[in-house]
């Protein structure tokens, strides 16, 4: 096996695409210097190899991971792919090299740096997903619910099951502004699509009233004499405040218009297993 | 819905409910049903955190703050001059649904002052829950407080609609109850508690037989004890909690540092600061009872009836039992690992898992999330201790305490600790607000 210190893989950013990079790396017996997605542009002196996404190759890799390592390892890899770990592709590649060597026991090698880094990234993802199950704030637009989030990790595929169960008959949209993804859900069915931009409609009177009432509840429920800004900040980091109704002062009462929601999209399904 | 009216009621009835510290939506797991709205997740979900750092998970309000009783520590007591309000059942049910749809909350925490009499109050509360469960087919979380003195049948009906039930003990002894809550007594608090426990057990057996049997309070029951309004020691309080866990199979006991809101001749003065550190120590000890398999009598006894403000209960215990240490992380059983300061439930589990792949060293432990600053004094790795470490009661104490606490401890011991300088307290606060995990 040779290291390819002057070689960079580029893929389409999808999970299957990443699995094809794994295939390529094993097939060519080489480890690239970096693996980048199309979204990243990199001025580079190094050779860039385009890795084309191929369903058959991707499936072969995924099956091999499950059979030769474990289903648990497959989950770890997929979750790590959703995380915001820097150079996650390379870490995943390294992990799979270890995994194919040691088999299922790689999952117990918690003090190995490669394993630890992936686990840490996945914990970060699950923690953020757990927070967002609570922090998503919907607005009601004539029966449909719309929310915007700005997570670090790609949490939509993780949290969608929860919201589908919460609103089994509902129609809702969650827009992930960071990753430009939209989760569309209706009557228990859902899909995630890539968008260029998403602008929610303006709130109506009823909506503004409920926001005001919620803000009032929030302000009233705190016990004076026990203020603890540090504790609040630990649990509810400031970067989430922009989309939390109760943290807007004064409550969000922007003028009301009838402008409908705008969704700009090329309608390609977003990356990810479905 | 008359908006101004509702927002005014909401304000009054939230302010009146906020001293109930129960803050969880945990313990029930339920998928959303077609034709309805809402699910429940066992771990509970925090939707926001208030300025006091506490988790907001449920719409916590009173149905009414009118009360025919006169408990002296309570703002709603009959003789207190305060603005009164009462939600119409439909008003509150609608508000709950509207908040729930927007993902502000996991559900409703419903309590009430006693309007007319306990039975009438209970019936009105049941109306709200029925609109939610039957009309809206609401599958979210409901915590309902049983009204002491209400008819058994009403409490049973309530429990079939709620996920969790609670009856607040409030004061830790019969004597204190008599003094501060003359309309209540031990029996009319413990009776509904016993009834709830019994109904929960029955409902579980039923469930084994018929899958579709209605569930009675599937998330169990909880209670709250006020700390510092009356002279009970930590030892008395912790023993009471342990007995409640055992006898009534409570899911949680909440501790609430007494916050003077009204004046009264038998009450601490209005300038009394709430004993937050003491409350915090009780939560830590409670945690040790529930998840670390400690017994109340191991933590305190008649000679040492109160927790050390400077050292957490687990460290205190370890310092008093230095002869049980050090333990070898590569061979010690799980229960023993749990007793090591600096090793929590998660890191203990990781140790068990990781050591199957090969022996662990100190560097590896750090990577597993063990807090070495604490744990180092109590552990060995394959027979070897941390290099250059002095192990004696004093050197350990010195190592475990922050410099500031050390100074305070050596100086006047009566001085009030500033809570938020101590990092262990902030972590503890996290634990306290959490919904059931460490
Ligand atoms: S019965 Fe409850 S609401 Fe009424 S005064 Fe006593 S504590 Fe307050």
């Amino acid at each position: 096996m040779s290291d390819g210190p002057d070689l960079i893989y580029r893929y389409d950013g999808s999970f299957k695409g990443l699995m094809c990079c794994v295939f390529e790396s094993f097939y060519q017996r080489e480890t690239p210097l970096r693996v980048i997605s199309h979204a990243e542009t990199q001025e580079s002196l190094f050779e860039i190899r385009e890795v084309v996404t191929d369903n058959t190759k991707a499936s072969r890799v995924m099956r091999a991971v499950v059979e030769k390592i474990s289903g648990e390892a497959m989950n770890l890899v997929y979750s790590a792919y959703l995380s915001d770990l820097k150079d996650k592709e390379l870490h995943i590649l390294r992990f799979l090299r270890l995994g194919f060597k040691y088999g299922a026991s790689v999952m117990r090698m918690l003090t190995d740096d490669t394993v630890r880094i992936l686990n840490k990234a996945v914990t970060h993802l699950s923690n953020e997903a757990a927070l967002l199950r609570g922090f998503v704030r919907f607005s009601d637009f004539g029966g449909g619910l719309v929310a915007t989030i700005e997570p670090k990790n790609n949490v939509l595929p993780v949290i969608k099951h929860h919201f589908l169960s919460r609103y089994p008959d509902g129609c809702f949209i969650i827009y992930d502004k960071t990753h430009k993804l939209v989760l569309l859900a209706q009557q228990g069915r859902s899909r995630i699509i890539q968008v260029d931009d998403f602008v929610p409609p303006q709130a109506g009177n009823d909506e503004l009233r409920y926001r005001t009432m919620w803000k009032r509840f929030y302000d009233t429920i705190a016990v004076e004499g026990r203020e603890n800004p540090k504790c609040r900040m630990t649990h509810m980091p400031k970067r989430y405040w922009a989309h939390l109704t109760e943290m807007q002062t004064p409550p969000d009462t922007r003028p009301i218009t009838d402008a409908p929601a705008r969704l700009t999209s090329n309608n390609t399904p977003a990356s990810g297993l479905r | 819905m008359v908006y101004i009216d509702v927002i005014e009621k909401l304000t009054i009835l939230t302010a009146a409910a906020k001293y109930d510290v129960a803050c969880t939506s945990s313990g029930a797991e339920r998928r959303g049903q077609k034709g309805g709205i809402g699910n429940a997740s066992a771990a509970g979900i925090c939707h926001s955190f208030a300025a006091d750092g506490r988790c907001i998970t449920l719409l916590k309000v009173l149905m009414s703050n009118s009360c025919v009783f006169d408990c002296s520590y309570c703002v709603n007591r009959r003789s207190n001059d305060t603005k009164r309000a009462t939600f119409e059942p439909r008003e509150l049910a609608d508000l709950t649904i509207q908040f729930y749809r927007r993902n502000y909350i996991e559900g409703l925490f419903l309590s009430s002052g006693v309007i007319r009499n306990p039975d009438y109050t209970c019936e009105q509360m049941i109306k709200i829950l029925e609109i939610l469960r039957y009309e809206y087919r609401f599958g979210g979380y409901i915590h309902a407080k049983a009204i002491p003195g209400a008819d058994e049948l009403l409490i049973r009906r309530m429990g079939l609609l709620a996920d969790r039930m609670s009856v607040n003990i409030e004061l830790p002894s019969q004597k204190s109850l008599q003094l501060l809550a003359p309309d209540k007594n031990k029996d009319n608090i413990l009776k509904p508690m016993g009834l709830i426990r019994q109904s929960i057990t029955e409902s579980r057996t039923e469930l084994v037989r018929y899958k579709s049997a209605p569930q009675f309070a599937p998330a169990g029951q909880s209670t709250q004890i006020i700390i510092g309004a009356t002279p009970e020691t930590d030892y008395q309080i912790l023993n009471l909690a342990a007995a409640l866990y055992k006898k009534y199979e409570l899911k949680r006991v909440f501790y609430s540092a007494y916050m003077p809101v009204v004046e009264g001749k038998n009450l601490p003065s209005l300038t009394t600061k709430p004993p937050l550190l003491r409350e915090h120590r009780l939560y830590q000890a409670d945690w040790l009872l529930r998840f670390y398999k400690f017994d109340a009598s191991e933590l305190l006894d008649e000679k040492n009836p109160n927790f050390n403000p400077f050292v957490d209960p687990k460290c205190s215990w370890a310092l008093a039992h230095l002869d049980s240490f050090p333990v070898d992380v590569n061979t010690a059983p799980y229960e023993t690992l749990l007793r090591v300061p600096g090793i929590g439930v998660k890191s203990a589990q990781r140790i068990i898992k990781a050591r199957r792949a090969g022996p662990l060293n100190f560097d590896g432990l750090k990577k597993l999330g063990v807090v070495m600053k604490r744990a180092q004094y109590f552990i060995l790795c394959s027979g070897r201790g941390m290099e250059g470490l002095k192990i004696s009661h004093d050197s350990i104490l010195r190592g475990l305490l922050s410099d500031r606490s050390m100074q305070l401890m050596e100086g006047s011991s009566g001085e009030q600790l500033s809570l938020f300088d101590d990092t262990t307290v902030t972590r503890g606060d996290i634990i306290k607000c959490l919904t059931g995990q460490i």
Side-chain angles (χ1 to χ4, degrees), chain B residues 48-68:
Chain B
S48 191
F49 288 87
D52 56 17
R54 291 190 304 172
C55 156
I56 299 178
T57 175
L58 303 171
L59 171 59
K60 181 158 58 186
V61 288
L62 297 190
M63 177 179 75
S64 172
N65 69 337
S66 298
C67 192
V68 296

PDB file of all heavy atoms in Angstrom, chain B residues 48-68:
ATOM      1  N   SER B  48     -36.191  24.931  26.598  1.00  0.00           N
ATOM      2  CA  SER B  48     -35.512  26.201  26.785  1.00  0.00           C
ATOM      3  C   SER B  48     -34.920  26.191  28.177  1.00  0.00           C
ATOM      4  O   SER B  48     -35.137  25.239  28.946  1.00  0.00           O
ATOM      5  CB  SER B  48     -36.499  27.356  26.621  1.00  0.00           C
ATOM      6  OG  SER B  48     -35.789  28.578  26.542  1.00  0.00           O
ATOM      7  N   PHE B  49     -34.153  27.230  28.485  1.00  0.00           N
ATOM      8  CA  PHE B  49     -33.621  27.367  29.837  1.00  0.00           C
ATOM      9  C   PHE B  49     -33.907  28.778  30.308  1.00  0.00           C
ATOM     10  O   PHE B  49     -33.603  29.747  29.626  1.00  0.00           O
ATOM     11  CB  PHE B  49     -32.121  27.056  29.855  1.00  0.00           C
ATOM     12  CG  PHE B  49     -31.862  25.586  29.661  1.00  0.00           C
ATOM     13  CD1 PHE B  49     -31.761  25.053  28.391  1.00  0.00           C
ATOM     14  CD2 PHE B  49     -31.784  24.735  30.746  1.00  0.00           C
ATOM     15  CE1 PHE B  49     -31.577  23.690  28.195  1.00  0.00           C
ATOM     16  CE2 PHE B  49     -31.604  23.374  30.570  1.00  0.00           C
ATOM     17  CZ  PHE B  49     -31.491  22.851  29.292  1.00  0.00           C
ATOM     18  N   ALA B  50     -34.522  28.870  31.465  1.00  0.00           N
ATOM     19  CA  ALA B  50     -34.929  30.167  31.992  1.00  0.00           C
ATOM     20  C   ALA B  50     -33.722  30.910  32.553  1.00  0.00           C
ATOM     21  O   ALA B  50     -32.636  30.344  32.668  1.00  0.00           O
ATOM     22  CB  ALA B  50     -35.983  29.968  33.079  1.00  0.00           C
ATOM     23  N   ALA B  51     -33.911  32.170  32.906  1.00  0.00           N
ATOM     24  CA  ALA B  51     -32.816  32.993  33.405  1.00  0.00           C
ATOM     25  C   ALA B  51     -32.193  32.407  34.666  1.00  0.00           C
ATOM     26  O   ALA B  51     -31.050  32.689  34.995  1.00  0.00           O
ATOM     27  CB  ALA B  51     -33.302  34.410  33.669  1.00  0.00           C
ATOM     28  N   ASP B  52     -32.926  31.548  35.382  1.00  0.00           N
ATOM     29  CA  ASP B  52     -32.346  30.911  36.562  1.00  0.00           C
ATOM     30  C   ASP B  52     -31.614  29.622  36.196  1.00  0.00           C
ATOM     31  O   ASP B  52     -31.189  28.876  37.070  1.00  0.00           O
ATOM     32  CB  ASP B  52     -33.426  30.641  37.626  1.00  0.00           C
ATOM     33  CG  ASP B  52     -34.572  29.799  37.075  1.00  0.00           C
ATOM     34  OD1 ASP B  52     -34.399  29.165  36.025  1.00  0.00           O
ATOM     35  OD2 ASP B  52     -35.648  29.796  37.694  1.00  0.00           O
ATOM     36  N   GLY B  53     -31.489  29.359  34.895  1.00  0.00           N
ATOM     37  CA  GLY B  53     -30.711  28.212  34.441  1.00  0.00           C
ATOM     38  C   GLY B  53     -31.481  26.905  34.450  1.00  0.00           C
ATOM     39  O   GLY B  53     -30.939  25.860  34.138  1.00  0.00           O
ATOM     40  N   ARG B  54     -32.762  26.958  34.820  1.00  0.00           N
ATOM     41  CA  ARG B  54     -33.511  25.707  34.889  1.00  0.00           C
ATOM     42  C   ARG B  54     -34.166  25.365  33.559  1.00  0.00           C
ATOM     43  O   ARG B  54     -34.568  26.244  32.800  1.00  0.00           O
ATOM     44  CB  ARG B  54     -34.574  25.786  35.994  1.00  0.00           C
ATOM     45  CG  ARG B  54     -33.934  25.824  37.387  1.00  0.00           C
ATOM     46  CD  ARG B  54     -34.947  25.653  38.472  1.00  0.00           C
ATOM     47  NE  ARG B  54     -35.997  26.675  38.351  1.00  0.00           N
ATOM     48  CZ  ARG B  54     -37.088  26.658  39.093  1.00  0.00           C
ATOM     49  NH1 ARG B  54     -37.278  25.710  39.968  1.00  0.00           N
ATOM     50  NH2 ARG B  54     -37.985  27.605  38.957  1.00  0.00           N
ATOM     51  N   CYS B  55     -34.261  24.060  33.343  1.00  0.00           N
ATOM     52  CA  CYS B  55     -34.845  23.557  32.106  1.00  0.00           C
ATOM     53  C   CYS B  55     -36.332  23.874  32.038  1.00  0.00           C
ATOM     54  O   CYS B  55     -37.058  23.722  33.003  1.00  0.00           O
ATOM     55  CB  CYS B  55     -34.624  22.047  32.066  1.00  0.00           C
ATOM     56  SG  CYS B  55     -35.765  21.126  31.055  1.00  0.00           S
ATOM     57  N   ILE B  56     -36.774  24.348  30.867  1.00  0.00           N
ATOM     58  CA  ILE B  56     -38.210  24.505  30.647  1.00  0.00           C
ATOM     59  C   ILE B  56     -38.640  23.403  29.698  1.00  0.00           C
ATOM     60  O   ILE B  56     -38.182  23.334  28.566  1.00  0.00           O
ATOM     61  CB  ILE B  56     -38.539  25.864  29.999  1.00  0.00           C
ATOM     62  CG1 ILE B  56     -38.098  27.002  30.916  1.00  0.00           C
ATOM     63  CG2 ILE B  56     -40.035  25.960  29.683  1.00  0.00           C
ATOM     64  CD1 ILE B  56     -38.335  28.373  30.320  1.00  0.00           C
ATOM     65  N   THR B  57     -39.486  22.537  30.167  1.00  0.00           N
ATOM     66  CA  THR B  57     -39.914  21.453  29.300  1.00  0.00           C
ATOM     67  C   THR B  57     -41.434  21.382  29.187  1.00  0.00           C
ATOM     68  O   THR B  57     -41.975  21.020  28.162  1.00  0.00           O
ATOM     69  CB  THR B  57     -39.311  20.103  29.769  1.00  0.00           C
ATOM     70  OG1 THR B  57     -39.829  19.062  28.973  1.00  0.00           O
ATOM     71  CG2 THR B  57     -39.654  19.817  31.217  1.00  0.00           C
ATOM     72  N   LEU B  58     -42.122  21.794  30.235  1.00  0.00           N
ATOM     73  CA  LEU B  58     -43.583  21.741  30.219  1.00  0.00           C
ATOM     74  C   LEU B  58     -44.159  23.130  30.436  1.00  0.00           C
ATOM     75  O   LEU B  58     -43.520  23.992  31.036  1.00  0.00           O
ATOM     76  CB  LEU B  58     -44.075  20.812  31.334  1.00  0.00           C
ATOM     77  CG  LEU B  58     -43.545  19.375  31.295  1.00  0.00           C
ATOM     78  CD1 LEU B  58     -43.935  18.626  32.554  1.00  0.00           C
ATOM     79  CD2 LEU B  58     -44.043  18.655  30.053  1.00  0.00           C
ATOM     80  N   LEU B  59     -45.364  23.325  29.941  1.00  0.00           N
ATOM     81  CA  LEU B  59     -46.093  24.539  30.276  1.00  0.00           C
ATOM     82  C   LEU B  59     -46.537  24.358  31.726  1.00  0.00           C
ATOM     83  O   LEU B  59     -47.465  23.615  32.019  1.00  0.00           O
ATOM     84  CB  LEU B  59     -47.308  24.700  29.347  1.00  0.00           C
ATOM     85  CG  LEU B  59     -48.305  25.806  29.696  1.00  0.00           C
ATOM     86  CD1 LEU B  59     -47.633  27.173  29.713  1.00  0.00           C
ATOM     87  CD2 LEU B  59     -49.465  25.807  28.712  1.00  0.00           C
ATOM     88  N   LYS B  60     -45.785  25.012  32.622  1.00  0.00           N
ATOM     89  CA  LYS B  60     -46.044  24.804  34.043  1.00  0.00           C
ATOM     90  C   LYS B  60     -46.884  25.944  34.566  1.00  0.00           C
ATOM     91  O   LYS B  60     -46.411  27.069  34.709  1.00  0.00           O
ATOM     92  CB  LYS B  60     -44.709  24.707  34.800  1.00  0.00           C
ATOM     93  CG  LYS B  60     -44.877  24.475  36.273  1.00  0.00           C
ATOM     94  CD  LYS B  60     -43.647  23.862  36.927  1.00  0.00           C
ATOM     95  CE  LYS B  60     -42.412  24.697  36.761  1.00  0.00           C
ATOM     96  NZ  LYS B  60     -41.225  24.034  37.279  1.00  0.00           N
ATOM     97  N   VAL B  61     -48.143  25.678  34.820  1.00  0.00           N
ATOM     98  CA  VAL B  61     -49.055  26.716  35.305  1.00  0.00           C
ATOM     99  C   VAL B  61     -49.993  26.122  36.341  1.00  0.00           C
ATOM    100  O   VAL B  61     -50.156  24.912  36.430  1.00  0.00           O
ATOM    101  CB  VAL B  61     -49.934  27.299  34.167  1.00  0.00           C
ATOM    102  CG1 VAL B  61     -49.132  28.181  33.239  1.00  0.00           C
ATOM    103  CG2 VAL B  61     -50.636  26.185  33.402  1.00  0.00           C
ATOM    104  N   LEU B  62     -50.615  27.007  37.092  1.00  0.00           N
ATOM    105  CA  LEU B  62     -51.714  26.564  37.937  1.00  0.00           C
ATOM    106  C   LEU B  62     -52.996  26.731  37.137  1.00  0.00           C
ATOM    107  O   LEU B  62     -53.101  27.631  36.309  1.00  0.00           O
ATOM    108  CB  LEU B  62     -51.811  27.429  39.199  1.00  0.00           C
ATOM    109  CG  LEU B  62     -50.645  27.437  40.184  1.00  0.00           C
ATOM    110  CD1 LEU B  62     -51.070  28.147  41.463  1.00  0.00           C
ATOM    111  CD2 LEU B  62     -50.184  26.032  40.494  1.00  0.00           C
ATOM    112  N   MET B  63     -53.958  25.871  37.375  1.00  0.00           N
ATOM    113  CA  MET B  63     -55.274  26.083  36.789  1.00  0.00           C
ATOM    114  C   MET B  63     -55.893  27.311  37.454  1.00  0.00           C
ATOM    115  O   MET B  63     -56.482  28.159  36.818  1.00  0.00           O
ATOM    116  CB  MET B  63     -56.147  24.859  37.013  1.00  0.00           C
ATOM    117  CG  MET B  63     -57.546  24.999  36.500  1.00  0.00           C
ATOM    118  SD  MET B  63     -58.480  23.494  36.796  1.00  0.00           S
ATOM    119  CE  MET B  63     -58.783  23.630  38.571  1.00  0.00           C
ATOM    120  N   SER B  64     -55.679  27.396  38.776  1.00  0.00           N
ATOM    121  CA  SER B  64     -56.180  28.551  39.517  1.00  0.00           C
ATOM    122  C   SER B  64     -55.251  28.852  40.679  1.00  0.00           C
ATOM    123  O   SER B  64     -54.671  27.940  41.259  1.00  0.00           O
ATOM    124  CB  SER B  64     -57.577  28.256  40.059  1.00  0.00           C
ATOM    125  OG  SER B  64     -57.972  29.311  40.916  1.00  0.00           O
ATOM    126  N   ASN B  65     -55.106  30.124  41.004  1.00  0.00           N
ATOM    127  CA  ASN B  65     -54.317  30.446  42.194  1.00  0.00           C
ATOM    128  C   ASN B  65     -55.211  30.880  43.354  1.00  0.00           C
ATOM    129  O   ASN B  65     -54.742  31.394  44.356  1.00  0.00           O
ATOM    130  CB  ASN B  65     -53.244  31.493  41.895  1.00  0.00           C
ATOM    131  CG  ASN B  65     -53.822  32.854  41.596  1.00  0.00           C
ATOM    132  OD1 ASN B  65     -54.977  32.957  41.200  1.00  0.00           O
ATOM    133  ND2 ASN B  65     -53.032  33.898  41.776  1.00  0.00           N
ATOM    134  N   SER B  66     -56.513  30.669  43.183  1.00  0.00           N
ATOM    135  CA  SER B  66     -57.394  30.848  44.344  1.00  0.00           C
ATOM    136  C   SER B  66     -57.204  29.642  45.236  1.00  0.00           C
ATOM    137  O   SER B  66     -57.015  28.543  44.738  1.00  0.00           O
ATOM    138  CB  SER B  66     -58.859  30.884  43.904  1.00  0.00           C
ATOM    139  OG  SER B  66     -59.065  31.961  43.052  1.00  0.00           O
ATOM    140  N   CYS B  67     -57.242  29.859  46.530  1.00  0.00           N
ATOM    141  CA  CYS B  67     -57.100  28.694  47.393  1.00  0.00           C
ATOM    142  C   CYS B  67     -57.857  28.903  48.697  1.00  0.00           C
ATOM    143  O   CYS B  67     -57.841  29.986  49.268  1.00  0.00           O
ATOM    144  CB  CYS B  67     -55.635  28.403  47.687  1.00  0.00           C
ATOM    145  SG  CYS B  67     -55.414  26.785  48.456  1.00  0.00           S
ATOM    146  N   VAL B  68     -58.547  27.846  49.133  1.00  0.00           N
ATOM    147  CA  VAL B  68     -59.268  27.945  50.394  1.00  0.00           C
ATOM    148  C   VAL B  68     -58.375  27.591  51.578  1.00  0.00           C
ATOM    149  O   VAL B  68     -58.766  27.726  52.722  1.00  0.00           O
ATOM    150  CB  VAL B  68     -60.524  27.034  50.409  1.00  0.00           C
ATOM    151  CG1 VAL B  68     -61.524  27.491  49.358  1.00  0.00           C
ATOM    152  CG2 VAL B  68     -60.143  25.580  50.172  1.00  0.00           C
TER     153      VAL B  68
END
